[in-house]
């Protein structure tokens, strides 16, 4: 939004130059992106955030400056003459939920011509092309107050009534740009008794356009729902100054003010005779809102002491007035032009930005660690990273959204969480295992001739469970890794294929990870996971709970990959291992007996599990 400094100073008496004013606005949250020159002097290009529709006007920017400079704000001038006669037209609001207020007045004996030079200069400085006195006045008032206006040629209306309604599907409207547009039932239109004459909040119709032959015009000022204007503008690919403001919300209580201002200019500039007996149809006005603000909360959030009277004075400069004052808290009335203020923290932010963020004391963060280092999760993850990188494995960060994969647990495919509006098949669901992403990285590196192929990841996985009470979603953390090929670089082994990693290499890495997690009594039991080789894989059991798996991926699953070596993989429940870290430490005294080493050679059936043998041997006294 471009505004001349000269126009802004008309409402807030300050002596600073454009550079200082731009700095004040930027520090207050209205970023000035560019400063240019015009026939009126300096022009500021101000970036307004979507939640501050009240600042899309001269008066809105001036209000911010009056608070920053602690000077008074002048009101918008207007001279209203009470109308004694009944209005010559009617307004019917048929969609009250989409149009909360609609006001209008007639202007007779209109003389179309150029607008005054001072008005043309201000419009040009704002980037708007002067057209004629009627259009220029409506644009001028929109820039001044933030309230869009529209003028209809009253003699071109069928009947003497305005109807605000939703469009009939397939209804046609030729807009002011000469394009015939097909409307949908979701759009809001301004209509007469026969046809739509404007697309509400976006653009007027060509049939009722004000031209040289216009003698009587109907001036409109209304408040439309932001969403209906945005949908219509986006659907028809139309972006106008009016829609830009309606989409961000206009103040229903400012509808009549803007209409009064425009009619005053029509009268003062001799454009026509205003029929002050207008229509102001109010379907719904904003609910009066109040927010309770605690003084100690302001001090706590800003980091420095702010007295209660300073808080009240600061917010009052923005039009936020105190209605009930107590020792430690104050109830503030929120003006209708600030719909973005809904919580206590919003008022705290207003106090902070008006007083100046430079008043917030600077201090170095406490502690010695970087982000996450001060949490148990971060410290434990860092410990596992050191172990795995020490084993020569490289860390990756995979995507949480993946396609359906054969490297996920096929027995629980119904527990996959699908994305309703996925951008592509490759991003169609949340991962339930880290292995699909790791195998994909391994394969892509293998196709490019990279070696060695050793990768691990610590990341979140997502599960869906169907319970009697309904569907439940859980997010957990896993640590997983994959190996393929030699366990050291080609420079050392040359072409010796006997050094390729096998099950025992990966099992040794897992045992090192478990040892670093203070797990000393893990068992390796037979696994029936179809993703793994049935004779070269094992479930990892701790305290009777399966916390992971280690082994060689099933040959049929990896047969179509570029990798020709065995692919070894593991995946562990990170959360369970982290939970073990919080368990109380148990002291185990040294044995008072001298150790005895025995070399035994038992004869056992070939189908007996190795873990059973270890368990039996450990129980020998």
């Amino acid at each position: 939004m471009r505004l001349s400094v000269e126009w802004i100073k008309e409402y807030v008496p300050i002596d600073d130059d454009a550079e200082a004013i731009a700095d004040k606005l930027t520090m207050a949250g209205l970023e000035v992106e560019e400063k240019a020159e015009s026939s009126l002097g300096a022009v500021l290009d101000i970036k307004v955030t979507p939640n501050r529709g009240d600042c899309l006007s001269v008066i809105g920017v001036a209000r911010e400056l009056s608070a920053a400079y602690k000077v008074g704000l002048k009101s918008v001038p207007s001279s209203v003459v009470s109308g004694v006669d009944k209005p010559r037209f009617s307004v019917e609001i048929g969609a009250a939920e989409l149009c909360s207020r609609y006001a209008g007045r007639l202007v007779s004996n209109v003389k179309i011509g150029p607008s005054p030079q001072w008005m043309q200069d201000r419009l040009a400085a704002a980037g708007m092309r002067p057209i004629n006195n009627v259009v220029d006045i409506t644009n001028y008032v929109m820039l001044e107050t933030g309230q869009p206006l529209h003028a209809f040629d009253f003699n071109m209306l069928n009947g003497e009534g305005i109807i605000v309604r939703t469009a009939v599907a397939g209804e046609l409207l030729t807009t002011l740009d000469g394009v015939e547009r097909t409307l949908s039932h979701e759009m809001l239109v301004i209509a007469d008794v026969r046809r739509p004459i404007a697309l509400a909040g976006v653009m007027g119709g060509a049939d009722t356009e004000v031209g040289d032959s216009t003698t009587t015009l109907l001036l409109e000022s209304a408040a439309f729902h932001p969403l209906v204007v945005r949908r219509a503008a986006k659907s028809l690919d139309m972006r106008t100054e009016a829609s830009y403001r309606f989409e961000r919300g206009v103040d229903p209580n400012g509808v009549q003010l803007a209409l009064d201002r425009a009619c005053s200019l029509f009268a003062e500039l001799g454009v026509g005779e205003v029929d002050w007996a207008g229509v102001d149809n109010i379907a719904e006005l904003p609910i009066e809102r109040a927010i309770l603000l605690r003084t100690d909360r302001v001090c706590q959030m800003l980091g420095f002491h702010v007295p209660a009277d300073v808080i009240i004075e600061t917010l009052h400069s923005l039009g936020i007035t105190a209605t009930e004052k107590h020792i430690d808290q104050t109830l503030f009335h929120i003006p209708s032009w600030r719909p973005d203020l809904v919580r206590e923290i919003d008022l705290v932010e207003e106090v902070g930005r008006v007083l100046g963020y430079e008043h917030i004391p600077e201090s170095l963060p406490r502690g010695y660690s970087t982000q996450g280092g001060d949490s148990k999760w971060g410290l434990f993850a860092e410990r596992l990273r050191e172990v795995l990188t020490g084993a020569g494995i490289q860390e990756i960060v995979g995507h949480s959204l993946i396609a359906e994969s054969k490297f996920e647990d096929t027995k629980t495919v119904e527990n996959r969480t699908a994305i309703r509006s996925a951008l592509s098949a490759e991003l169609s669901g949340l991962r339930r295992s880290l292995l699909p992403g790791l195998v994909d990285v391994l394969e892509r590196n293998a196709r490019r001739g990279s070696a060695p192929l050793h990768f691990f990841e610590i990341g979140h996985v997502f599960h869906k469970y169907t319970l009697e009470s309904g569907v439940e979603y859980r997010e957990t953390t896993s640590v997983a890794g994959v190996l393929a090929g030699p366990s050291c670089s080609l420079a050392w082994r040359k072409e010796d294929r006997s050094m390729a990693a096998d099950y025992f290499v990966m099992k040794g890495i897992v045992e090192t990870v478990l040892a670093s997690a203070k797990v000393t009594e893990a068992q390796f039991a037979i696994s029936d996971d179809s993703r793994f080789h049935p004779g070269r894989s094992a479930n990892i059991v701790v305290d009777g709970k399966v916390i992971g798996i280690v082994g060689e991926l099933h040959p049929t699953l990896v047969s179509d990959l570029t990798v020709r070596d065995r692919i070894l993989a593991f995946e562990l429940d990170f959360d369970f291992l982290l939970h073990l870290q919080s368990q109380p430490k148990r002291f185990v005294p040294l044995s008072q007996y001298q150790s005895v080493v025995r070399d035994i050679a038992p004869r056992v059936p070939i189908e007996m599990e190795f873990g059973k043998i270890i368990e039996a041997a450990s129980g020998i006294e």
Side-chain angles (χ1 to χ4, degrees):
M1 179 183 66
R2 294 166 58 89
L3 293 175
S4 67
V5 174
E6 172 264 347
W7 195 359
I8 297 172
K9 285 186 175 182
E10 186 176 291
Y11 286 96
V12 54
I14 51 180
D15 297 326
D16 277 356
D17 59 11
E19 197 69 39
I21 292 174
D23 184 63
K24 277 284 188 183
L25 287 174
T26 300
M27 294 303 296
L30 298 179
E31 181 182 353
V32 177
E33 297 184 316
E34 183 183 4
K35 184 172 72 70
E37 292 295 328
S38 71
S39 60
L40 297 176
V43 175
L44 303 181
D45 189 353
I46 305 171
K47 180 180 180 181
V48 180
T49 54
N51 66 323
R52 292 302 306 274
D54 62 296
C55 290
L56 291 171
S57 63
V58 174
I59 195 67
V61 174
R63 185 184 294 113
E64 294 294 311
L65 286 174
S66 71
Y69 281 98
K70 295 180 174 58
V71 297
L73 176 68
K74 296 181 180 179
S75 59
V76 177
S78 64
S79 55
V80 181
V81 179
S82 299
V84 293
D85 298 327
K86 291 184 178 180
R88 291 183 287 158
F89 69 99
S90 63
V91 172
E92 176 188 343
I93 299 179
E97 71 281 3
L98 302 178
C99 176
S100 59
R101 187 172 187 176
Y102 193 101
R105 287 202 185 101
L106 294 182
V107 181
S108 306
N109 299 323
V110 175
K111 303 176 183 65
I112 303 296
S115 57
Q117 190 61 44
W118 59 267
M119 181 177 289
Q120 294 187 36
D121 291 341
R122 287 183 172 180
L123 291 174
M128 303 187 75
R129 179 174 60 89
I131 298 175
N132 58 50
N133 48 9
V134 173
V135 176
D136 290 354
I137 288 175
T138 58
N139 286 335
Y140 182 87
V141 174
M142 178 184 67
L143 291 174
E144 190 175 47
T145 66
Q147 171 66 49
L149 305 172
H150 184 68
F152 300 98
D153 188 329
F154 184 67
N155 295 325
M156 302 303 295
L157 269 63
N158 294 288
E160 296 181 348
I162 288 291
I163 304 172
V164 184
R165 60 171 174 83
T166 54
V168 178
E171 207 167 18
L172 300 178
L173 171 66
T174 301
T175 49
L176 289 174
D177 55 4
V179 179
E180 185 179 63
R181 305 182 185 275
T182 303
L183 309 180
S184 68
H185 69 280
E186 295 180 343
M187 298 176 184
L188 187 69
V189 297
I190 312 301
D192 58 21
V193 295
R194 290 180 53 189
R195 71 200 193 285
I197 57 175
L199 186 59
V202 183
M203 187 178 290
D207 292 344
T208 55
E209 181 180 6
V210 174
D212 294 339
S213 60
T214 300
T215 58
T216 303
L217 60 86
L218 169 61
L219 189 61
E220 165 199 277
S221 180
F224 304 118
H225 196 287
L227 188 57
V228 72
V229 176
R230 176 173 174 78
R231 283 176 176 169
K234 187 175 181 180
S235 175
L236 299 175
D237 194 21
M238 300 172 67
R239 286 292 184 270
T240 62
E241 290 288 341
S243 68
Y244 183 74
R245 286 164 173 79
F246 278 120
E247 287 175 20
R248 285 152 180 78
V250 300
D251 179 15
N253 289 331
V255 167
Q256 194 65 52
L257 172 66
L259 186 62
D260 291 342
R261 173 58 169 159
C263 290
S264 297
L265 288 172
F266 277 119
E268 292 171 13
L269 301 178
V271 179
E273 299 173 4
V274 178
D275 186 350
W276 295 98
V279 173
D280 186 9
N281 194 336
I282 301 175
E284 182 182 8
L285 285 179
I287 299 174
E288 295 285 333
R289 295 177 297 125
I291 297 177
L292 190 65
L293 180 62
R294 295 166 291 173
T295 304
D296 58 347
R297 184 61 172 169
V298 176
C299 302
Q300 178 187 18
M301 296 304 298
L302 296 182
F304 63 94
H305 178 66
V306 185
D309 57 342
V310 174
I311 295 174
I312 294 173
E313 181 184 355
T314 301
L315 293 176
H316 182 75
S317 66
L318 294 171
I320 306 168
T321 55
T323 58
E324 295 182 17
K325 303 176 185 178
H326 302 281
I327 297 176
D328 55 350
Q329 60 187 16
T330 306
L331 187 68
F332 287 94
H333 174 263
I334 308 302
S336 56
W337 65 78
R338 292 300 304 272
D340 59 305
L341 302 179
V342 295
R343 301 175 299 169
E344 182 185 40
I345 193 65
D346 296 330
L347 294 186
V348 175
E349 182 183 3
E350 294 298 294
V351 174
R353 70 181 186 85
V354 173
L355 293 180
Y357 295 125
E358 65 272 12
H359 292 95
I360 298 177
E362 298 180 0
S363 61
L364 293 174
R366 297 179 180 179
Y368 61 92
S369 301
T370 56
Q371 182 180 2
D374 57 346
S375 67
K376 292 182 179 180
W377 193 100
L379 290 173
F380 183 60
E382 192 60 32
R383 188 196 308 172
L384 295 189
R385 287 189 181 97
E386 292 177 359
V387 171
L388 291 168
T389 54
I393 312 178
Q394 181 179 352
E395 183 178 13
I396 70 159
V397 178
H399 207 298
S400 296
L401 297 177
I402 63 173
E404 291 190 46
S405 173
K406 57 189 177 183
F407 295 107
E408 288 189 294
D409 189 354
T410 56
K411 292 188 299 183
T412 59
V413 67
E414 69 279 359
N415 291 341
R416 184 173 189 266
T417 304
I419 303 300
R420 183 180 301 170
S421 302
L423 296 177
S424 65
E426 289 74 20
L427 305 173
S428 60
L430 292 169
R431 63 185 179 185
R432 294 179 293 131
S433 169
L434 300 180
L435 293 183
L438 285 165
V439 173
D440 182 61
V441 171
L442 184 142
E443 169 65 8
R444 282 190 281 115
N445 279 270
R447 287 200 300 265
R448 290 161 175 76
S450 300
L453 301 173
H454 305 157
F455 304 101
F456 80 92
E457 181 178 5
I458 300 174
H460 299 290
V461 291
F462 309 87
H463 307 278
K464 180 175 71 173
Y465 299 94
T466 303
L467 308 176
E468 292 183 359
S469 57
V471 178
E472 180 178 324
Y473 297 89
R474 296 177 189 172
E475 177 180 343
T476 61
T477 309
S478 293
V479 52
V482 292
L483 302 180
S487 55
C488 57
S489 62
L490 290 171
W492 289 99
R493 74 170 189 92
K494 295 184 180 179
E495 296 300 327
D496 185 3
R497 308 299 295 180
S498 64
M499 296 186 66
D502 57 12
Y503 166 79
F504 296 102
V505 172
M506 183 59 91
K507 180 173 179 287
I509 292 174
V510 170
E511 289 175 333
T512 305
V513 170
L514 294 175
S516 71
K518 306 293 191 298
V519 177
T520 58
E521 299 179 355
Q523 298 176 344
F524 293 82
I526 292 177
S527 171
D528 59 352
D529 195 318
S530 60
R531 298 174 297 171
F532 288 81
H533 192 295
R536 300 170 187 166
S537 62
N539 286 334
I540 304 165
V541 183
V542 176
D543 294 339
K545 173 182 173 63
V546 178
I547 67 165
I549 189 170
V550 60
E552 178 184 334
L553 293 181
H554 202 289
T556 58
L557 294 182
V558 300
S559 59
D560 58 342
L561 300 182
T562 304
V563 183
R564 290 293 171 257
D565 295 296
R566 297 176 179 177
I567 300 179
L568 289 306
F570 79 88
E571 186 162 15
L572 294 170
D573 187 338
F574 179 97
D575 294 330
F576 181 84
L577 297 178
L578 177 61
H579 172 71
L580 294 179
Q581 309 309 299
S582 61
Q583 299 302 305
K585 304 296 186 293
R586 184 179 61 181
F587 174 72
V588 179
L590 296 175
S591 175
Q592 58 182 329
Y593 303 106
Q594 184 176 358
S595 62
V596 177
V597 178
R598 294 181 180 179
D599 185 6
I600 59 176
R603 295 173 62 87
V604 297
I606 192 171
E607 64 273 7
M608 179 171 285
E609 301 175 23
F610 177 72
K612 297 292 185 181
I613 300 175
I614 295 297
E615 184 180 348
S618 300
I620 297 176
E621 297 181 357

